[in-house]
Amino acid sequence: MSANMTPGLVARLAETACVSEAFTLPDGRVLEAYFDEYRLAADPGLLRDVAATMSALVPAETEVLAGLALGGVPLTVALSAATGLPAAFMRRGRKRYGSKRNIEGAATEGKQVVLVDDVVRSGDQLLTAARTLRIAGAKVTDALCVLERPLGGRRRLAEYHMALSPLLAEADLPAPATEAIS
């Protein structure tokens, strides 16, 4: 858990965004509970408080925050407002119409960019975004998230010279309530 995270904020996050029901990951694995980033984003007070707390995790040399679609976008907007740093947004793929970009918002070329996402599991989405930004000329060495699940993401990011700073680890959350089986 981040040093500036309070038990009250952990409890609010758990109450609002932790859901105790099956959730299927892209690789087919099924989790018993999951973190619902939409519930976090839908609560403006909680989103503001999470962003204010996450702002302490932003490295001093950061020039741009880049949010991953979709869960990282509201966090990045709130974190941008809390820090005053400009924001960029990463699409999952290049648009085939309009601007045809996969990086929107603030300019990233030549800038020190920190990636922002809601939950990190395997790290695949962050690595894809980092690769896209690096090809576009950005310097990417750090990523932030609200929740880190112990599914190998931190190790994979380190292999590509990226540090992960989560607000919470899965172990920091209260155990999901279970109903007695009769």
Side-chain angles (χ1 to χ4, degrees):
M1 179 174 0
S2 169
N4 58 340
M5 190 68 173
T6 65
L9 188 54
V10 172
R12 287 172 57 209
L13 268 170
E15 182 180 326
T16 302
C18 293
V19 180
S20 296
E21 60 185 53
F23 183 83
T24 305
L25 296 171
D27 65 6
R29 288 184 287 174
V30 178
L31 303 174
E32 295 175 18
Y34 68 98
F35 182 84
D36 188 338
E37 69 273 10
Y38 302 110
R39 292 182 182 188
L40 165 59
D43 183 326
L46 181 58
L47 182 60
R48 178 197 60 234
D49 294 347
V50 165
T53 304
M54 283 184 80
S55 68
L57 301 177
V58 177
E61 65 277 6
T62 303
E63 297 175 282
V64 177
L65 301 166
L68 277 65
L70 182 64
V73 170
L75 286 168
T76 301
V77 170
L79 193 54
S80 175
T83 62
L85 290 167
F89 308 101
M90 305 298 301
R91 294 181 179 279
R92 289 188 190 265
R94 184 179 300 275
K95 269 178 65 172
R96 293 187 175 136
Y97 58 90
S99 69
K100 298 185 180 180
R101 296 183 194 130
N102 53 352
I103 305 169
E104 299 283 359
T108 59
E109 185 177 357
K111 305 282 184 173
Q112 185 68 42
V113 177
V114 171
L115 292 170
V116 181
D117 207 359
D118 54 347
V119 178
V120 172
R121 296 175 188 91
S122 69
D124 289 345
Q125 291 180 351
L126 287 170
L127 289 173
T128 298
R131 187 176 317 114
T132 299
L133 284 161
R134 287 171 174 168
I135 290 169
K139 297 172 268 184
V140 184
T141 57
D142 294 275
L144 308 178
C145 66
V146 175
L147 179 64
E148 177 187 7
R149 287 204 176 263
L151 299 174
R154 178 182 295 273
R155 179 189 49 78
R156 290 213 51 230
L157 292 171
E159 290 171 3
Y160 289 88
H161 311 288
M162 289 184 62
L164 177 64
S165 297
L167 195 58
L168 292 169
E170 187 174 63
D172 297 326
L173 294 171
T178 56
E179 295 179 15
I181 300 173
S182 50

